[in-house]
């Protein structure tokens, strides 16, 4: 490609609303253009990156045996009513009425449509397994779209759906996809981690997120450097402490802590480690009658070490709390504790509540908690002596760096990531809701065992930029770069030699299938270099009169601090060896 | 590809609602699957064809210098309000409100969005010309979607938009596209015709439709076998007859024609050729005041030869009628003619009307028309003698086969076509409405001169099938076929020799980049052949035990009546030479 034939449009300043670096740089480099909130035009420079992502995904999906199809963007509501998602999904589901007043939606995913297709087309176990995928426009009407392609309303997603005869076969299809995703993310050339994720109501361990590592990532992910263990924060297990609970060393004391309503304040006041304090979280669950009215409520007290945070996903799975919990109201708190938040604790309550202690809290001795009296805490509280053992001991906290890895192979490390892919075992959730069955080997109808597998095609470039950029702009891995090589001739109009050398190198690289762009716009060197550093093309060859007289050109990788002189005759070879490396 | 890895699903019967052969066959072959009215899933077999269409279009658009981008499917209404199309477009424009109640549309085309992009990005004449294109999902909420992919609601279109500094440059961009479209349609391997089309309010001759020729086509197209002349029916000019008007030969007579209210009936009754009769069409135009109320109406009488049909597009361009016409009401007709339709004519009217005679009628002598009295016609009517010369003589009819070609190089032939592409010079229609200007060489802002260029990506396969099918199924040209070659082994499970020969040929063709499918499903020969004939793969190699013992396999093109025996060693070479032919 020659730059004069292409469309290059860079900006010095990013729009004020661009909060994250990928949004700023992709806008400045003319890769995306905002049309409305969360709705972007993929400009020529950006579309090239997206198409490279698509090509890699398509090749590896095909290699895995998955079959490509395309489902409609605008879908009749009826299948979405079958699964109940038409009603259940909130305003994120964009709803439309057509000219006849019929209900439609814009697809956010396509479980319903693909399951409807399968129940018509896959009639026998002999046709299984099958995995169908599409690379298609999606829409989610986010309340606060932002961060450019990171959280848009319209976006492109690769979504795949596997259909199997039984759970074992579905798990094997899942494993094929998990391996395929590793190949895909390896080919992207990004630093990523596949982390175990919570599989929600489905249960089991068959849910993995593919996280692109970036300091700016929204997700905290957890891994063990000494092993294969990796999980997202929701999923990562905090093991029970190894040793037994120490013995109490002193008597419980009601200690004045005027105005100190947080564990941190209390620890500071008393000059003790934060880890000696216990925080009290008061939750409630409700029992409803058929009319949906609350018949009875149960108050729960969750106890966590002062330096730990509650993990909602884990709490949501505890017996009694897995019906859906809420934070208790002030009147409920006062009725049970006789005090206000900030000074609550499990000792001397007015009415009994159910007490859940985190595994860590359950083995603490001589701990500090609220005294259920404003401006007072108890110190040296001990289980069994000052209060009964807890009703339940469970892992209800987020892990922290330094925790033991659940596989016992070292300590956990926490880093930030951007979720770009997800593989998920669905079971029969959709096939049962839609009565999607096939004739099993025993001659009876059985519901499909399904899995679903997504990759955020337009999110991936944004994640790549969050991971790979510097103060001058983006830095693309070869596989994703809009162009792999840029040739920058200096003074091409003035110098026939420069022009000839540039054209010759361009022709040679083109003939070898290298994705090269020749910048023949006639820009001054400073502006030209600034453009390509912003755009982030990884390999640059500069051709100038002076070095050309010495038979040389300059090569610079986008990450190099300076350029290297290379003999004219050798530069194509150098580039090709670098590109294959 | 091996069939066992792919997804093949054929049906014996087409759905009852499939009225046209492409809809029937594409559904039966498992290429498309209806999700809702005019909304189809592109199944794996169909998507392969669509992707081949896309690839050809993309390659040739890129070669032409056009630059690919992708505009959003869901677009904010504001730009559509700028051009007035949000209000003007009927219910075909699918309108949406998002969660905040803001107006959006689903793109039917993207003139507004691309013009908005251009007015921000193209600031100087130095950046021109530019041609941007996208291959993207579109939606038109057709009142009666039907005919499968031929007239769907959701479809894929390639739309391109050129931006130029002046009319001459815009016309040159138009010509580049017209030439590019010829290359694209040549590569499809279909019989097509590029025909001049009406350019509506824009004027000029820069509008061409690309019509795939098919007996079932909706459009009548006109061409001259002896020259390059080709136009659609709306556009094709009917020349004025060459000779002068003959002299009158007899006196006008009021002749009883009881119950004969059509030209055909009258001609039959009087035993004269239909071409001796003249039909009367009564139109009206209205003058409106600022409140939109009718102030004054004008009645028009259009005279056409009995065997000719009115061409609305031509009439719409006549001075006085180009304000928008309607058919006259019964009271208007009675007030001006004193009679009812069926017996109207230009002689003995009650009130004067404006008379427009078709060029053909203007040179007739001794013609027959209604006498403005029920059950009577005049015969031997003559201009000048029996009535004044017409107020206007114009080409207001559709051409018929045998008319002289407007270029004088022979007679016109009429055939049917399916419009799949359109190139169109837009002028400044959108740039003026949206105040989209660039800085011209004279330093002043000037509106972009634009052109737009569409190809119906998902309509093309349907048109290809309308043109190429037989009683057994579809017949794809090599360039569009879902697979170019199918290998059909007979009894592959039983015979190691057959399996080995099939696998060897498959591997050889795959290595050469041939798009081949090996049918390893183990179907019986009859069912297997029926499937591939329905699907329409152009080249088939059958490998059976018997002929293999003689060192032979069978080759059959989908259009061949029977197969040909070919030596095993020669079949790959034969296929490759045929595919390059």
């Amino acid at each position: 490609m020659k730059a004069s034939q292409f469309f290059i449009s860079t900006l010095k300043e990013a729009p004020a609303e661009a909060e994250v670096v990928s949004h700023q740089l992709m806008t400045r480099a003319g890769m995306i253009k905002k049309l409305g909130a969360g709705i972007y035009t993929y400009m020529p420079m950006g579309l090239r990156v997206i198409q490279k992502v698509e090509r890699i995904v398509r090749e590896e999906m095909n290699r895995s045996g998955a079959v490509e199809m395309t489902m409609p963007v605008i879908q009749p509501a009826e299948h979405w009513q079958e699964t109940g998602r038409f009603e259940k999904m909130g305003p994120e589901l964009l709803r439309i009425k057509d000219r006849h007043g019929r209900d439609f939606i814009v697809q956010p995913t396509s479980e319903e449509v693909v399951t409807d297709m399968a129940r018509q087309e896959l009639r026998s176990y002999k046709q299984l397994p099958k995995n169908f995928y599409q690379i298609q426009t999606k829409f989610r009407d986010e309340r606060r779209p932002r961060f450019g392609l990171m959280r848009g309303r319209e976006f492109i997603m690769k979504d795949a759906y596997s259909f199997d005869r039984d759970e074992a076969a579905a798990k094997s299809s899942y494993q094929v996809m998990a391996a395929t995703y590793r190949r895909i993310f390896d080919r992207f050339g990004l630093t990523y981690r596949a982390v175990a994720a919570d599989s929600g109501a489905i249960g089991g361990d068959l849910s993995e997120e593919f996280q692109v590592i970036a300091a700016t990532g929204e997700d905290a992910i957890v891994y063990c450097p000494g092993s294969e263990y990796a999980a997202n924060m929701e999923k990562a297990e905090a093991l029970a402490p190894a040793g037994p609970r120490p013995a109490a060393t002193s008597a419980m004391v009601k200690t004045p802590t005027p105005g100190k309503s947080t564990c941190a304040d209390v620890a500071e006041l008393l000059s003790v480690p934060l880890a000696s304090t216990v925080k009290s979280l008061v939750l409630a669950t409700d029992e409803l009658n058929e009319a949906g009215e609350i018949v009875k409520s149960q108050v729960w007290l969750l106890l966590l070490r002062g330096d730990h945070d509650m993990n909602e996903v884990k709490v949501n799975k505890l017996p009694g709390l897995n019906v859906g919990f809420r934070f208790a109201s002030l009147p409920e708190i006062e009725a049970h504790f006789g005090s206000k938040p900030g000074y609550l604790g499990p000792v001397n309550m007015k009415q009994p509540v159910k007490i859940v202690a985190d595994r860590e809290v359950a083995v603490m001795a001589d701990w500090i908690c609220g005294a259920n009296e404003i401006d007072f805490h108890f110190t040296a509280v001990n289980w069994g002596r000052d209060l009964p053992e807890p009703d339940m001991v469970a892992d209800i906290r987020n892990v922290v760096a330094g925790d033991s890895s659940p596989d016992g192979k070292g300590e956990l490390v926490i880093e930030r990531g951007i979720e770009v892919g997800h593989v998920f075992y669905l079971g029969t959730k959709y096939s049962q809701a839609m009565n999607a069955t096939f004739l099993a080997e025993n001659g009876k109808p059985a519901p499909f065992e399904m899995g679903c597998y997504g990759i955020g095609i337009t999110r991936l470039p944004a994640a790549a930029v969050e991971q790979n950029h510097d103060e001058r702009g983006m830095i693309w891995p070869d596989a994703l770069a809009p162009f792999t090589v840029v040739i920058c001739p200096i003074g091409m109009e003035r110098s026939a030699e420069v022009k000839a050398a540039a054209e010759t190198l361009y022709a040679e690289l083109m003939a070898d299938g290298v994705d090269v762009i020749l910048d023949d716009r006639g820009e001054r060197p400073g502006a030209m270099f600034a453009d390509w550093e912003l755009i982030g093309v990884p390999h640059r060859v500069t051709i100038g009169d002076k070095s050309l007289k010495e038979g040389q050109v300059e090569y610079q990788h986008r990450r190099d601090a300076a350029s290297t002189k290379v003999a004219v005759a050798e530069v194509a070879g150098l580039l090709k060896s670098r590109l294959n490396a």
Side-chain angles (χ1 to χ4, degrees), chain A:
Chain A
M1 180 73 74
K2 293 189 177 182
S4 59
Q5 297 286 313
F6 194 60
F7 181 70
I8 298 169
S9 174
T10 57
L11 295 169
K12 287 252 183 307
E13 301 290 336
E17 62 170 15
E19 299 170 57
V20 296
V21 70
S22 59
H23 188 189
Q24 292 163 358
L25 293 176
M26 293 182 82
T27 302
R28 282 186 54 208
M31 288 193 160
I32 58 173
K33 191 166 190 69
K34 184 179 168 179
L35 181 65
I39 299 180
Y40 292 86
T41 292
Y42 309 132
M43 297 291 285
M45 192 69 79
L47 184 61
R48 289 183 74 89
V49 177
I50 292 168
Q51 288 178 336
K52 291 197 179 183
V53 175
E54 288 181 351
R55 193 173 315 137
I56 290 170
V57 170
R58 185 171 276 128
E59 284 174 8
E60 295 300 335
M61 288 301 292
N62 290 348
R63 201 206 290 196
S64 80
V67 184
E68 188 174 2
M69 60 186 297
T70 304
M71 288 174 270
V73 175
I74 312 289
Q75 305 183 345
E78 64 186 86
H79 300 315
W80 290 75
Q81 285 157 343
E82 262 189 87
T83 60
R85 287 214 292 176
F86 187 73
E87 288 76 25
K88 262 182 269 174
M89 271 188 82
E92 279 192 15
L93 183 65
L94 189 61
R95 293 161 171 88
I96 311 179
K97 281 194 190 290
D98 77 353
R99 65 190 292 159
H100 302 296
R102 292 193 208 100
D103 286 314
F104 288 79
I105 59 99
V106 184
Q107 67 164 344
T109 57
S110 266
E111 281 84 356
E112 281 79 357
V113 171
V114 79
T115 305
D116 174 59
M117 185 277 284
R119 70 182 164 185
Q120 296 176 62
E121 295 287 343
L122 303 174
R123 289 169 292 260
S124 157
Y125 71 94
K126 290 179 195 157
Q127 291 172 279
L128 303 178
K130 274 282 170 273
N131 188 343
F132 297 101
Y133 78 97
Q134 63 173 350
I135 298 177
Q136 172 72 314
T137 303
K138 307 283 189 306
F139 200 95
R140 282 188 200 155
D141 200 359
E142 299 263 0
R143 196 169 61 87
R144 267 195 73 194
R146 53 189 180 151
F147 303 157
L149 297 195
M150 198 80 86
R151 184 174 294 194
R153 294 204 280 178
E154 184 169 315
F155 56 96
I156 301 173
M157 192 169 109
K158 187 283 296 175
D159 42 331
Y161 306 91
S162 62
F163 294 87
D164 277 284
R165 56 193 289 184
D166 55 31
E167 195 179 320
K171 288 183 173 172
S172 146
S173 291
Y174 172 93
Q175 295 303 348
V176 168
M177 274 298 103
T180 299
Y181 271 46
R182 282 169 171 79
R183 286 203 310 271
I184 290 172
F185 279 78
D186 284 345
R187 284 186 62 184
F188 288 155
L190 300 174
T191 305
Y192 74 94
R193 219 171 269 284
V195 305
D198 184 59
S199 51
I202 307 284
D205 282 329
L206 296 178
S207 171
E208 273 179 292
E209 291 168 357
F210 285 74
Q211 296 265 0
V212 169
I213 303 306
T216 53
E218 287 187 307
D219 296 342
I221 59 181
V222 178
Y223 70 99
C224 174
S227 74
E228 293 294 296
Y229 183 81
N232 67 11
M233 187 52 86
E234 286 76 41
K235 172 80 177 174
E237 185 184 359
L239 291 183
R245 184 192 295 163
T249 60
S250 49
M252 184 172 85
V253 176
K254 189 166 129 188
T255 308
T257 51
K260 307 298 180 190
S261 62
T262 69
C263 286
D265 290 345
V266 171
E268 198 193 349
L269 175 75
L270 304 180
S271 300
V272 297
L274 187 53
S276 307
T277 66
V278 166
K279 75 170 81 159
S280 297
L281 295 172
V282 189
L283 306 182
T285 49
D286 300 318
E287 202 174 299
L288 306 179
N289 66 12
E290 283 185 5
E293 297 151 339
I294 298 174
V295 187
K296 200 175 136 190
S297 294
Q298 169 68 48
V299 171
W300 301 72
L301 175 63
L302 269 62
L303 299 177
L304 288 150
R305 215 169 71 180
D307 57 339
H308 285 158
D309 289 323
M310 180 177 85
N311 183 309
E312 284 201 23
V313 170
K314 292 176 181 175
V315 173
N316 240 323
K317 294 188 166 177
L318 298 180
L321 283 156
N322 59 4
V323 295
F325 65 82
R326 57 179 172 83
F327 284 92
S329 65
L330 260 186
E332 283 172 327
I333 290 174
E334 292 190 347
H336 288 81
F337 296 89
S339 180
K340 287 197 191 311
Y343 302 93
L344 305 180
V347 181
N348 285 341
M349 296 181 293
K350 275 177 79 175
Q351 280 184 50
V353 301
K354 287 204 176 166
I355 294 181
V356 182
D358 181 63
R359 285 171 170 175
E360 201 73 43
V361 173
V363 296
M364 284 169 74
D366 297 330
W367 38 282
I368 298 165
C369 64
N372 292 326
E373 186 177 337
I374 288 184
D375 293 345
F376 286 92
H377 279 77
F378 286 123
T379 57
V381 183
N382 282 278
W383 292 108
R385 184 190 73 182
D386 306 319
L387 76 169
E389 294 291 333
D391 297 300
M392 201 191 305
V393 175
D395 172 21
I396 57 172
R397 67 169 175 102
N398 287 337
V399 296
V400 292
D403 277 347
S404 293
S405 174
D407 64 2
K409 295 186 178 168
E411 288 186 358
L412 293 177
V413 171
I414 296 179
E415 62 189 348
R416 311 294 303 177
I418 299 164
E419 186 195 339
V420 181
H422 199 163
V423 292
F424 197 91
Y425 165 62
L426 277 173
T428 56
K429 178 178 171 187
Y430 289 91
S431 54
Q432 288 201 318
M434 296 182 70
N435 195 25
T437 61
F438 62 97
L439 227 50
E441 207 165 354
N442 64 11
K444 289 182 186 155
F448 295 105
E449 282 278 343
M450 292 173 58
C452 67
Y453 317 95
I455 291 179
I457 299 288
T458 43
R459 189 175 221 209
L460 190 272
V465 173
E466 293 292 333
Q467 182 178 90
N468 300 283
H469 65 271
D470 61 18
E471 66 292 348
R472 290 171 294 154
M474 303 181 277
I475 307 170
W476 291 102
D478 290 355
L480 303 180
F483 297 96
T484 325
V485 176
V486 58
I487 302 172
C488 293
I490 311 287
M492 194 170 171
E493 323 79 50
R494 293 189 311 271
S495 163
E497 290 76 20
V498 167
K499 186 168 173 13
E503 295 276 9
T504 304
L505 178 60
Y506 174 70
E508 183 175 351
L509 293 174
M510 284 292 280
D512 279 326
V514 175
D515 189 15
V516 57
I517 185 163
L518 169 60
D519 192 344
D520 58 349
R521 294 175 299 163
E523 294 279 343
R524 296 152 53 90
M528 181 159 59
F529 295 157
D531 273 357
W532 293 112
E533 286 174 349
L534 172 60
I535 293 164
V537 169
H539 305 274
R540 186 175 84 199
V541 177
T542 308
I543 304 181
D545 242 343
K546 222 168 96 186
S547 44
L548 203 57
K549 280 191 184 120
E550 299 158 14
Q552 291 182 319
V553 297
E554 287 173 54
Y555 167 80
Q556 186 168 4
H557 188 275
R558 178 67 179 77
R559 291 194 188 275
D560 291 344
S563 64
T564 317
K565 296 208 169 178
V566 184
V568 172
E570 284 163 23
V571 67
L574 172 78
L575 283 167
K576 280 177 263 173
S577 71
R578 285 216 155 209
L579 295 179
N580 293 328

